[in-house]
Amino acid sequence: MTAKTPILLVIFFLSSICSVSYGQIKPDTLRIYPEEAEQLFLRNNLSLIAERLNIDQANALILQAKVWPNPNLSIDEINLNRNSTSESIPPLFGSFARNQQFTVQLEQLILTARKRKKNISLEVSNKQLAENTFIDFLQSLKVEFRALLANLLFNQETFSDLERQAQLVNKLVKAQEAQLQEGNISQASYLRLKALGIELLSELNETSEERNKLQSNLKTLMAISGSTFIVLNDNKLNEKTINKWSDMPYTALLEMADHHNSQLKIANSLKEVSSSTLAVEKAKRIPDLTVNLNYDRNGSTMFNFFGAGISFDLPLFDRNKGNIKYATIEMKKQEQLTEEKRNAIRNQLDEAYKNIRQRIQLYRSFDANYLVQLEKMQSSIANNLLGRNLSLLEFLDLFDSFKSNKQLYYKTKRDIQLQACELTYIIGKDL
């Protein structure tokens, strides 16, 4: 065994400890495609689960509206004692109710003017409102989630690109440092190049902080562990996706929005609810009936008296005019709001449609191998700087230009995805 062997063993031992320690704190990495992430989000999101329960509550209210009012049974006028003026009263059977007076009455409320059916109709309208509200909540949450995915993918691409550029500049700084010591370049040139490296590190830190925020929001929506690190596999913004939006005629999108937009459906549901409410309030003008059957034990000229009766309110003072007027105004108001919502949706569609077409036009201005060419050019100008075929100012100008163009390419891809999310929400369905 040589003298170096113990030292090598110590280094190997320490490196093993470091590897184990790093493995303990390294977060779990979840590599996933955007479509798979969305399925996980739809299955696990707690807000969606809670919002879906509103529909179950609406079904419960429909069930309750179908129930008839309970009959009412009352027992009254039971004598608690018997004095000298009391008559002798024979029992009903055996010795039961001997010398006992009481009355029994059974009442049943009968709803008139089809109130029960109209109340059911109102609750059905409320259920439709709950369903449309859930659909809107789902679609808006999907837009938020897809926007987070698009931004995370943009962040990943930007971060990787900045890392490559930082490594390139770092090599240049080390090479220029040697040139500085030999007196071949000025200190000002060296410091300017080093400043570029520091700027890239600062951008990397900002990008990393933004990534942490995106990761946190995504993991909350997906209901997964905070220690998980999400890495999106880019399924690429292919030509088929772009053609789908660029070739879709505006009139077709407009027709979809008129039929499927969740906000418009909510507005129509609110109009239906107000119409059903007005029908219920109008029905309340007609009084309900209360039918009763009664038995009187020794309360009249007969020992056992059986009778029937009916009662209802006299609509002399309250004809429910105020509530009817309120419901009428509410219905008119909802009609106006629905029309306003329809106009707003059409304007939003027009704006989003123009925006995505402009972004697609910009995206198509990039060549298929544009990024690869930029990567090669950045390496080339770095070599030319080292070979003194480029001045530092020329290098910085070209480097910044290539960097900006790559950022523009990534941003254009992201913006198309964001605009596609917006259009999907407006038309109310996935294409």
Side-chain angles (χ1 to χ4, degrees):
M1 183 179 290
T2 64
K4 292 183 178 180
T5 303
I7 298 175
L8 292 173
L9 290 174
V10 170
I11 293 173
F12 176 76
F13 178 71
L14 291 175
S15 64
S16 300
I17 294 176
C18 292
S19 299
V20 172
S21 301
Y22 179 73
Q24 289 175 345
I25 62 174
K26 187 178 180 181
D28 297 329
T29 300
L30 175 63
R31 295 185 178 275
I32 193 169
Y33 284 98
E35 294 82 2
E36 297 170 336
E38 185 167 318
Q39 291 302 315
L40 193 60
F41 150 70
L42 293 174
R43 185 168 62 249
N44 293 346
N45 186 266
L46 300 177
S47 295
L48 284 177
I49 295 172
E51 188 70 21
R52 194 178 287 112
L53 294 176
N54 289 334
I55 299 175
D56 295 334
Q57 289 179 317
N59 281 324
L61 292 177
I62 293 175
L63 182 64
Q64 184 62 37
K66 292 180 179 179
V67 177
W68 289 94
N70 286 327
N72 176 265
L73 176 67
S74 62
I75 302 174
D76 202 1
E77 297 184 12
I78 302 174
N79 63 307
L80 300 178
N81 65 325
R82 182 170 181 270
N83 54 40
S84 58
T85 62
S86 300
E87 298 179 4
S88 179
I89 305 173
L92 283 174
F93 52 87
S95 60
F96 176 73
R98 184 185 299 274
N99 298 320
Q100 187 71 56
Q101 176 183 334
F102 60 86
T103 62
V104 178
Q105 181 169 270
L106 182 66
E107 290 185 334
Q108 176 63 55
L109 177 65
I110 299 177
L111 300 176
T112 60
R114 303 172 68 193
K115 291 190 182 73
R116 176 174 168 272
K117 184 175 181 180
K118 291 174 181 177
N119 277 310
I120 294 173
S121 178
L122 174 60
E123 296 304 334
V124 169
S125 298
N126 281 322
K127 179 195 172 182
Q128 188 64 52
L129 175 61
E131 289 176 344
N132 289 331
T133 302
F134 171 75
I135 291 172
D136 179 67
F137 181 76
L138 170 62
Q139 291 181 347
S140 61
L141 208 57
K142 282 171 69 174
V143 168
E144 179 185 348
F145 184 77
R146 289 172 179 177
L148 286 172
L149 291 178
N151 280 307
L152 180 59
L153 197 56
F154 169 73
N155 181 278
Q156 287 179 184
E157 292 173 327
T158 302
F159 189 87
S160 297
D161 189 52
L162 287 172
E163 272 190 324
R164 289 192 296 270
Q165 294 177 43
Q167 291 170 1
L168 177 64
V169 172
N170 187 46
K171 290 179 181 178
L172 286 176
V173 169
K174 290 181 179 179
Q176 294 296 78
E177 186 177 4
Q179 293 293 321
L180 176 65
Q181 293 174 354
E182 294 177 5
N184 295 328
I185 63 170
S186 67
Q187 188 175 18
S189 297
Y190 168 74
L191 291 177
R192 181 63 188 89
L193 194 60
K194 191 170 183 178
L196 175 61
I198 294 173
E199 289 173 9
L200 290 172
L201 287 177
S202 176
E203 290 184 45
L204 273 171
N205 286 335
E206 292 176 1
T207 306
S208 181
E209 290 175 2
E210 179 65 23
R211 179 180 61 188
N212 293 337
K213 182 179 179 181
L214 292 168
Q215 290 271 341
S216 175
N217 292 336
L218 277 171
K219 286 184 286 188
T220 299
L221 290 176
M222 296 167 70
I224 60 178
S225 170
S227 62
T228 304
F229 185 80
I230 301 172
V231 177
L232 288 179
N233 298 321
D234 186 8
N235 56 358
K236 305 300 181 184
L237 188 64
N238 54 43
E239 197 67 22
K240 182 179 179 181
T241 303
I242 293 176
N243 291 336
K244 177 177 67 176
W245 290 108
S246 61
D247 297 341
M248 179 66 66
Y250 178 76
T251 52
L253 294 175
L254 185 61
E255 185 177 354
M256 290 180 194
D258 285 340
H259 287 87
H260 301 291
N261 181 272
S262 55
Q263 288 284 316
L264 191 57
K265 284 185 175 182
I266 288 176
N268 284 321
S269 292
L270 286 170
K271 189 168 67 172
E272 287 298 321
V273 169
S274 64
S275 177
S276 298
T277 302
L278 177 60
V280 170
E281 295 300 337
K282 285 183 176 180
K284 289 180 180 179
R285 292 179 302 184
I286 301 174
D288 296 326
L289 301 177
T290 301
V291 178
N292 65 75
L293 298 173
N294 56 79
Y295 166 74
D296 193 332
R297 170 74 169 165
N298 199 38
S300 65
T301 57
M302 291 182 283
F303 277 142
N304 298 303
F305 173 80
F306 294 90
I310 187 172
S311 64
F312 53 89
D313 294 334
L314 295 176
L316 298 178
F317 307 111
D318 184 5
R319 298 274 298 174
N320 207 35
K321 290 182 178 179
N323 289 332
I324 292 172
K325 186 175 182 180
Y326 179 90
T328 302
I329 296 172
E330 180 66 21
M331 188 174 71
K332 292 179 180 178
K333 183 174 72 174
Q334 292 302 330
E335 288 174 352
Q336 297 299 320
L337 292 174
T338 300
E339 190 59 32
E340 181 186 43
K341 179 62 67 176
R342 181 177 287 105
N343 291 335
I345 288 167
R346 289 179 174 179
N347 291 330
Q348 290 169 7
L349 177 63
D350 181 69
E351 178 186 359
Y353 183 73
K354 290 176 180 176
N355 287 341
I356 197 170
R357 289 175 68 86
Q358 289 170 355
R359 293 295 176 183
I360 290 173
Q361 185 178 4
L362 176 60
Y363 178 78
R364 284 177 171 167
S365 67
F366 294 99
D367 296 331
N369 297 320
Y370 186 68
L371 280 185
V372 177
Q373 294 170 353
L374 289 180
E375 288 288 341
K376 291 180 179 179
M377 286 303 299
Q378 279 191 327
S379 298
S380 176
I381 62 174
N383 292 329
N384 281 314
L385 177 65
L386 293 175
R388 299 185 182 181
N389 297 321
L390 278 179
S391 68
L392 179 62
L393 289 178
E394 288 174 323
F395 168 80
L396 293 174
D397 182 61
L398 289 171
F399 185 88
D400 185 64
S401 176
F402 296 155
K403 175 188 170 187
S404 299
N405 270 262
K406 284 194 283 186
Q407 291 287 321
L408 179 61
Y409 175 79
Y410 296 137
K411 184 176 182 296
T412 303
K413 276 180 58 180
R414 181 198 62 180
D415 289 346
I416 290 174
Q417 291 173 301
L418 294 178
Q419 290 297 329
C421 290
E422 182 68 17
L423 271 171
T424 300
Y425 176 69
I426 293 172
I427 66 176
K429 59 183 297 187
D430 290 323
L431 293 182

